[in-house]
Amino acid sequence: MSKIIRINLANNEIREEASPKGWEMIGGRALISKVMEEEVDPTCDPLGPKNKLIIAPGVLAGTTASCVNRISIGGKSPLTGTIKESNAGGTTAYKLGRLGIKALIIEGQPADNGLFTIYVSEDKVELVKTEELKEVGVYSAADKLRERFGGKVGMIIIGPAGERLYRAAGIANTDNEGVPSRYSARGGLGAVMGSKRIKAVVIDDSVAKGPEIANEELFKKTRSAMAELIVNNEQVANSYTKLGTAGLVNLTNSLGALPTRNFSTGSFEGAEEINGQKLYELITSRKGEGRPSHACMPGCLIRCSNVFPDENGKTIVSPIEYETIGLLGSNCGISSLDTIGKLNYLCNDIGLDTIDIGGAIGVAMEAGIIPFGDGEGAVKLLEEVQNDTYLGKIIGSGAAIAGEVLGVKRVPVAKGQVLAAYDPRAIKGLGVTYATSPMGGDHTAGQTLRSPVDHKKPEGQVEASRNAQIVNTLHDCIGTCFFVGGAIKGELQLLGDLMESMTGKPCSVEDMKQVAKDTLIRERRFNRGAGLNEADDRLPEFFYTEENPASGTVFDVPNEELKEVFNFE
Amino acid sequence: MKSVKLEIFAGSESIVKEINLDNDKTVRDLLTENGIDEINEYIVIINGVNTFDSYILQHGDRVKVFPAMSGG
């Protein structure tokens, strides 16, 4: 990939640049951190003209290996005030990779309140006025854009939430079937896109030349070796492929780590109604459009996504993921997959992060706006968001703001972002990640569930989180799905071989880890420049003082040890 | 005699067994006898605590075995 394209909304100028020398191994999250450090004032207003929205596929994007086409979208977050990279599957990284585009950098801000779409193809990049899409939901906007630009384009879209600058607004990417539900959800980047008055980026790769592969033979050999490991991996077949990420519900519930009723406990009496087995049973018995297994990216052999149908076999939403079940389900005391599916669809259509909104609804329940377990009430709250009422605006701002406005003391956020569906008192390595990651409360920043530590003890968690943060960042930089590591049984050198096949230069696991470490260091530097310091690397106080009754633990990794997470700085 | 409850969550069905133990056994022994060799590819939770292969089973333990997963 050789091109970087800049779109400046202040003067509607579009410029194409060659990728800087030495950036062969720099893609995705690494690229975002470099551009942010070199070009964006860390003290800038995240929703002002000085912030940039960077869309960067990983280094392997556009190829047909399994699990290598994740997209990274980044900028300064209006939710956390930190640098942010939000990662998703779908087809947009693949299509950008096929067009040889290493990054789209969206800069400046238009003087008026127009609404634009960026159209990208092999022949041209142009800014198109799409006023008619103002306040249009994500699904319907995708249909309208397809009518205009053709059925096979990939799309990056925001909903009304992003246009209205809601702090919990995400950015949708289309999947293989063109469904806009693969979310770069976290950190309010939808609001950054909205602040630049960009409704969508449409990517047309119909006449693309495809990615440049330096060593085709090595690429094919490595792709086959990976495919062989993945398709013969019984654990992958029995977990991710069959149950999807919802397979985690039983596991976290057994550890006392499944967020329940605004993180008041870690075990949910309705878990059996929302677990992977129940999801599989409903999908397979309802038939119709339902699919228990579905690929979110071109070429994916893990296929952990799904299509969830209603009783008549019509799609409610695709996919339902574990984090959504944890935050919009158990965290709200809701034990119906149908209700969770409906809430998930509404979030996707309005353009919201299901994790932050699940957190915000949980907080609203704790405030007594509606009772825990009130699924219908939760749907009504999202309709308030859709209708942009004052209560809707509060929920759409995410849990940190909702908690402040509604007078709730127990607000499960780190750096202003809702924690994912693992209670940090029951899986303490994730607590360390939530507290210290430059991204704020984010499980994909350093997942320790498989780390060889006793999750309930404080010992060893800093090291577990450090290692996980490096490996997770590695995946975010080269554009691979985090799940591929387990699927290829930890043979990460295969990813190094894929990198070598693309760049023509040998690439060891250590080389990839160095890119990840450098990225984390740059991100932390940016955050310090933005005014964050060690005091921000903490969890909310109630996790230290209030026992999670299901795990019998509080978060007790000492603050002194948290300082050591980035000891490679 | 010691007995433990073993639950293996694999795919859409779970296997539940009560198992009597004649002598001291580790988790690894128990899993191997029940067809699971690649123990590192699983997460084992005993009485709510994630546990490793050398743990010696105690009477009344509830052993839950999950394919190792890592996020959603």
Side-chain angles (χ1 to χ4, degrees):
Chain A
M1 283 182 285
S2 50
K3 286 185 278 189
I4 290 177
I5 294 170
R6 293 179 186 270
I7 301 108
N8 188 334
L9 275 301
N11 54 14
N12 290 357
E13 189 183 86
I14 296 172
R15 269 191 302 146
E16 185 180 314
E17 295 168 2
S19 170
K21 277 210 174 96
W23 278 31
E24 292 82 5
M25 278 180 65
I26 302 297
R29 182 169 163 185
L31 185 145
I32 288 166
S33 71
K34 268 188 170 292
V35 173
M36 291 299 288
E37 182 168 59
E38 287 166 20
E39 303 180 14
V40 176
D41 175 356
T43 64
C44 76
D45 172 3
L47 302 178
K50 290 183 184 170
N51 196 8
K52 299 192 180 188
L53 186 76
I54 303 154
I55 300 171
V59 178
L60 305 171
T63 73
T64 52
S66 181
C67 315
V68 303
N69 280 292
R70 303 277 298 181
I71 188 88
S72 288
I73 303 183
K76 182 177 176 183
S77 161
L79 185 75
T80 61
T82 66
I83 193 169
K84 173 60 64 178
E85 182 262 1
S86 191
N87 194 278
T91 61
T92 52
Y94 175 74
K95 287 176 187 288
L96 287 171
R98 279 178 40 78
L99 289 166
I101 294 173
K102 208 169 173 73
L104 296 171
I105 304 178
I106 304 173
E107 308 173 326
Q109 239 162 32
D112 62 18
N113 208 28
L115 195 63
F116 300 89
T117 288
I118 299 167
Y119 174 80
V120 184
S121 72
E122 187 72 48
D123 311 320
K124 62 181 176 187
V125 180
E126 61 180 346
L127 209 50
V128 183
K129 274 194 173 171
T130 42
E131 302 288 325
E132 69 283 5
L133 296 180
K134 259 187 190 169
E135 286 284 320
V136 174
V138 168
Y139 290 98
S140 163
D143 289 340
K144 289 190 162 80
L145 287 165
R146 251 191 302 272
E147 276 170 30
R148 180 160 177 182
F149 295 103
K152 289 187 176 163
V153 294
M155 289 175 277
I156 298 170
I157 308 177
I158 59 165
E163 293 177 54
R164 298 174 194 158
L165 311 182
Y166 285 177
R167 268 38 170 198
I171 301 176
N173 294 272
T174 45
D175 70 6
N176 284 321
E177 286 78 37
V179 179
S181 60
R182 312 306 316 191
Y183 259 85
S184 295
R186 309 233 64 199
L189 290 173
V192 177
M193 191 156 150
S195 75
K196 304 203 175 297
R197 305 305 298 159
I198 298 295
K199 180 71 178 181
V201 179
V202 171
I203 307 157
D204 182 349
D205 67 335
S206 52
V207 291
K209 295 191 191 92
E212 294 155 24
I213 300 177
N215 184 340
E216 192 80 40
E217 197 183 329
L218 178 63
F219 173 77
K220 284 184 179 160
K221 191 178 119 199
T222 314
R223 179 181 60 184
S224 304
M226 280 174 60
E228 172 118 7
L229 280 170
I230 297 169
V231 297
N232 291 316
N233 188 324
E234 205 181 311
Q235 286 72 37
V236 165
N238 273 331
S239 54
Y240 290 112
T241 310
K242 199 155 203 177
L243 307 181
T245 56
L248 275 169
V249 171
N250 279 343
L251 202 170
T252 53
N253 196 49
S254 302
L255 281 170
L258 181 65
T260 302
R261 290 181 286 276
N262 194 32
F263 284 79
S264 61
T265 186
S267 173
F268 182 44
E269 64 286 354
E272 287 195 357
E273 291 303 308
I274 59 171
N275 66 16
Q277 283 73 15
K278 183 73 181 185
L279 181 65
Y280 180 82
E281 183 194 309
L282 286 177
I283 294 173
T284 50
S285 65
R286 288 173 172 182
K287 299 192 173 72
E289 293 168 4
R291 299 279 177 276
S293 176
H294 173 262
C296 89
M297 293 191 285
C300 174
L301 296 168
I302 297 178
R303 297 167 55 85
C304 71
S305 174
N306 54 54
V307 181
F308 180 57
D310 66 14
E311 284 174 341
N312 303 314
K314 293 292 287 179
T315 303
I316 295 177
V317 73
S318 168
I320 291 196
E321 297 275 359
Y322 169 73
E323 310 302 334
T324 301
I325 292 173
L327 269 301
L328 284 169
S330 52
N331 186 56
C332 296
I334 293 172
S335 57
S336 154
L337 282 171
D338 285 312
T339 305
I340 296 167
K342 193 168 182 187
L343 294 169
N344 193 345
Y345 178 86
L346 282 167
C347 283
N348 289 356
D349 197 41
I350 304 166
L352 295 163
D353 172 15
T354 56
I355 298 181
D356 234 280
I357 293 300
I361 295 176
V363 160
M365 287 172 160
E366 180 142 332
I369 307 282
I370 54 170
F372 282 109
D374 182 0
E376 229 170 87
V379 170
K380 281 194 185 134
L381 280 184
L382 280 185
E383 285 165 358
E384 298 249 5
V385 182
Q386 206 159 32
N387 295 330
D388 205 21
T389 65
Y390 287 125
L391 179 58
K393 285 177 193 286
I394 292 168
I395 302 294
S397 303
I401 290 175
E404 282 184 26
V405 177
L406 299 172
V408 174
K409 289 201 285 186
R410 303 172 66 265
V411 183
V413 296
K415 297 188 178 73
Q417 181 170 272
V418 171
L419 312 185
Y422 313 84
D423 190 302
R425 293 163 292 190
I427 304 178
K428 291 181 179 169
L430 268 163
V432 175
T433 297
Y434 294 150
T436 62
S437 162
M439 298 291 145
D442 180 348
H443 64 296
T444 68
Q447 170 62 273
T448 65
L449 192 51
R450 285 191 74 171
S451 305
V453 284
D454 180 339
H455 293 312
K456 293 192 172 133
K457 295 210 167 111
E459 292 82 20
Q461 306 299 348
V462 163
E463 189 186 353
S465 173
R466 178 190 306 125
N467 293 338
Q469 291 200 47
I470 292 167
V471 170
N472 279 220
T473 306
L474 177 161
H475 287 292
D476 292 342
C477 293
I478 64 175
T480 39
C481 171
F482 173 54
F483 298 163
V484 79
I488 59 173
K489 305 209 164 180
E491 302 273 349
L492 291 185
Q493 184 52 48
L494 286 168
L495 304 182
D497 293 349
L498 280 183
M499 291 286 279
E500 180 179 344
S501 75
M502 292 298 282
T503 65
K505 291 182 182 165
C507 176
S508 68
V509 174
E510 277 314 308
D511 292 335
M512 292 188 290
K513 283 189 175 170
Q514 195 56 51
V515 170
K517 287 180 192 170
D518 293 345
T519 299
L520 285 161
I521 290 168
R522 277 192 296 271
E523 290 173 343
R524 280 173 54 81
R525 216 156 40 210
F526 185 93
N527 288 353
R528 280 197 294 274
L532 280 85
N533 59 38
E534 196 193 312
D536 295 292
D537 287 349
R538 297 285 182 272
L539 294 177
E541 195 166 294
F542 77 91
F543 287 115
Y544 297 84
T545 56
E546 193 182 296
E547 186 176 288
N548 168 347
S551 62
T553 49
V554 295
F555 185 75
D556 55 357
V557 177
N559 292 338
E560 281 303 304
E561 283 188 36
L562 293 181
K563 283 187 199 164
E564 299 301 314
V565 173
F566 301 98
N567 66 358
F568 51 83
E569 266 181 320
Chain B
M1 192 191 297
K2 289 195 277 193
S3 77
V4 298
K5 186 176 176 189
L6 173 66
E7 287 179 81
I8 302 173
F9 296 87
S12 53
E13 311 272 316
S14 57
I15 298 159
V16 186
K17 289 181 186 177
E18 286 286 343
I19 295 175
N20 292 322
L21 307 171
D22 301 330
N23 45 25
D24 278 357
K25 263 190 190 159
T26 63
V27 174
R28 176 177 285 283
D29 298 333
L30 179 76
L31 265 55
T32 309
E33 285 167 17
N34 284 278
I36 293 176
D37 295 321
E38 292 181 288
I39 191 166
N40 292 335
E41 299 297 318
Y42 291 82
I43 292 176
V44 181
I45 299 173
I46 301 183
N47 310 327
V49 178
N50 64 307
T51 308
F52 303 97
D53 54 1
S54 58
Y55 170 84
I56 294 172
L57 294 161
Q58 305 296 315
H59 179 63
D61 278 346
R62 292 193 61 183
V63 183
K64 296 185 178 185
V65 183
F66 301 89
M69 295 180 76
S70 44

